[in-house]
Amino acid sequence: MNTYIAPSMLSADFGNLQRDIEMINNSEADWFHIDVMDGQFVPNISFGMPVIKAIKKHAQKTMDVHLMIVDPDRYLEDFKKVGADILTVHYEACTHLHRTVQAIKALGMKAGVSLNPHSPVSVLEDIIGELDLVLIMSVNPGFGGQAFIENTYQKISRLKALVDRTGSSAIIEVDGGVNDQNITALHKAGANAFVAGNFVFSNENPSQTIQHLKKLVS
Ligand code: DX5
Ligand code: ZN
């Protein structure tokens, strides 16, 4: 099964954004992970359309956009316009999740749903067949550089069982506190896409760090 490494641009140097984008273009990374925070769904505000558009201008890989915003239906079309390839919304932020997922797909994007650490995998049972990706949060969303929550392994195993049982083709992505100490076990538990922010960008050689992570799950 394919594996995907998705460096989180939240940890990039925004004064040298193009340099960091080119580093990812030239690395073994598979996706650009783009964290959008609205100061309501999560306590932090990150960035919006103009910054995503600027990233898209240089990015030569899949744009994996993770929306940590309330009522994302308002902006689905805008995210398509600025270049999202995969658009992930939070289960906790959508009253009519099925409708939201259909709308994302109708716009020609892959549809993902993310679960906060407290939300059980079972809430996805009736929608898993519609999803291209499930994003398991292994920290409480809002900030990069937080400590990994250990319960995530069990949660990914339960999701993998659900995916296998239903014949779903959803990618299982894990986000938050991913590093070279936990990525192998996360892969074994069933994850096949791995977001890494702080671990990649705090290293003096981010490209080599990406290569190291990729090797651990290949
Ligand atoms: C957290 C974001 C993550 C974050 C990951 O709210 O969704 O994508 O940037 O960063 P690290 O790898 O530093 O935990
Ligand atoms: Zn994220």
Side-chain angles (χ1 to χ4, degrees), residues 8 10-11 33 35 37 66 68 137 139-146 175-178 195-199:
S8 170
L10 190 62
S11 295
H33 186 77
D35 288 304
M37 305 176 181
H66 176 194
M68 287 160 274
M137 287 308 305
V139 298
N140 284 295
F143 304 92
Q146 302 182 80
D175 184 5
V178 173
V195 177
N198 191 55
F199 186 71

Side-chain angles (χ1 to χ4, degrees), residues 26-47:
N26 295 319
S27 77
E28 286 188 28
D30 299 279
W31 298 346
F32 285 82
H33 186 77
I34 312 284
D35 288 304
V36 180
M37 305 176 181
D38 67 353
Q40 281 198 70
F41 181 69
V42 288
N44 198 9
I45 297 176
S46 58
F47 50 75

Side-chain angles (χ1 to χ4, degrees), residues 199-211:
F199 186 71
V200 165
F201 285 98
S202 67
N203 194 287
E204 58 180 36
N205 192 335
S207 179
Q208 205 175 4
T209 307
I210 292 166
Q211 185 181 33

